[in-house]
Amino acid sequence: MYSVLTSIFIDLIFCSFIIFTNQQYTPDWSSLDKRPLPTWYDESKVGIFIHWGVFSVPSFHSEWMWWAWKGDNPNPDTVAFMNKNYPPDWTYADFAAQFHAELYDPNEWADIFAASGAKYIVLTSKHHEGFTLWPSKYSFNWNAMDVGPKRDLLGDLANAIRNRTDLVFGLYHSMFEWFHPLYLEDKKNGFQTQLFPNMKTLPELKEIVENYKPSVIWSDGDWDKQFVYACLLTWPNNTTEITLGAPVNSSSTSVTLLGSDVGPLNWRSAGASGGIIIDVSNIKTYSLASDWAWIFKLQNVTPK
């Protein structure tokens, strides 16, 4: 599943995002369902999506260049390009030192975006290569402050957009990284472990939300396995069962709770109302990794 975007490019986007507002809500559906649809989200028909990263240095193939070169099924043209232009011992990480961004002027970018008539912009904060455009403490020596530009590319653009325009600022963030050791460990374990999301993805996501306060976030990825994730924002008191409106129609569906050492959970159909009823009688909430959201993973949600 390769994207058709290339190098530094700008595309119109028409997709779903996580939406943030300034209003405070309590972690229950009765409160969350009162959230109004932001006017800009409903009325803004044109936005600008920016892919920019280490892949912009070779500027070959697409932002998937590393995977096209070293992935499971290497792209012949990409392999030939690397063999022709770089020495045999060259690694993808070597490109980072050449990612200078010396012509980067976020003020100029902001002015161009505003003049285009777009109403919002979304910057790729981190693609599947794992290189972060902000100084993430969860991406040591693989971020724009430690290597390459030596600056907070994301923060500089966020400030320029907010100081010079009335555009809505948003971020893209990859949920996985092709070659990260923790991700590969989870993959080797059949994703029965959650080392990568707990130690990398979720902390990073919280980091960009708290530091840069994007109005929208596009979380992208998770194609190695077909899962459905259901997020529970409040854990009911004194309950042994939880009902989810999940699209399950297969008896082979496996349900687990991320952060819990309890194995697959028993469940049954909720009947005509749809969804499933999950047995959580063996879950001890005090032992879970999260205390602000709980995520169920549903695997094999449709018949094979």
Side-chain angles (χ1 to χ4, degrees), residues 23-44:
Q23 176 67 44
Q24 296 298 310
Y25 297 92
T26 55
D28 57 82
W29 292 118
S30 61
S31 174
L32 295 178
D33 286 344
K34 295 176 182 176
R35 294 175 299 173
L37 183 66
T39 301
W40 74 264
Y41 190 79
D42 185 41
E43 297 180 356
S44 300

Side-chain angles (χ1 to χ4, degrees), residues 260-282:
S260 169
D261 58 2
V262 178
L265 303 173
N266 294 323
W267 64 272
R268 66 181 189 277
S269 172
S273 62
I276 62 175
I277 300 173
I278 304 172
D279 179 1
V280 293
S281 58
N282 292 326

Side-chain angles (χ1 to χ4, degrees), residues 13 36 50 66 82 103 122 145 166 190 192 244 256 271 281 298 301:
I13 55 176
I50 309 163
W66 194 3
M82 291 303 300
L103 301 180
V122 176
M145 184 64 75
D166 59 359
Q192 296 305 304
L244 296 179
T256 55
S281 58
L298 288 71
V301 296

Side-chain angles (χ1 to χ4, degrees), residues 7 51-71 78 81-82 86-99 124 126-133 141-143 147-148 177-180:
S7 296
H51 268 61
W52 194 29
V54 172
F55 47 82
S56 301
V57 175
S59 294
F60 188 85
H61 190 273
S62 73
E63 75 278 20
W64 283 69
M65 184 269 176
W66 194 3
W67 183 256
W69 179 31
K70 294 294 185 179
T78 304
F81 170 82
M82 291 303 300
Y86 296 92
D89 60 347
W90 190 268
T91 68
Y92 188 81
D94 292 328
F95 285 125
Q98 298 183 348
F99 182 40
T124 299
K126 182 196 76 170
H127 199 257
H128 311 321
E129 65 182 9
F131 188 88
T132 67
L133 298 190
N141 208 39
W142 193 234
N143 67 75
V147 61
E177 297 173 23
W178 297 305
F179 303 111
H180 194 287

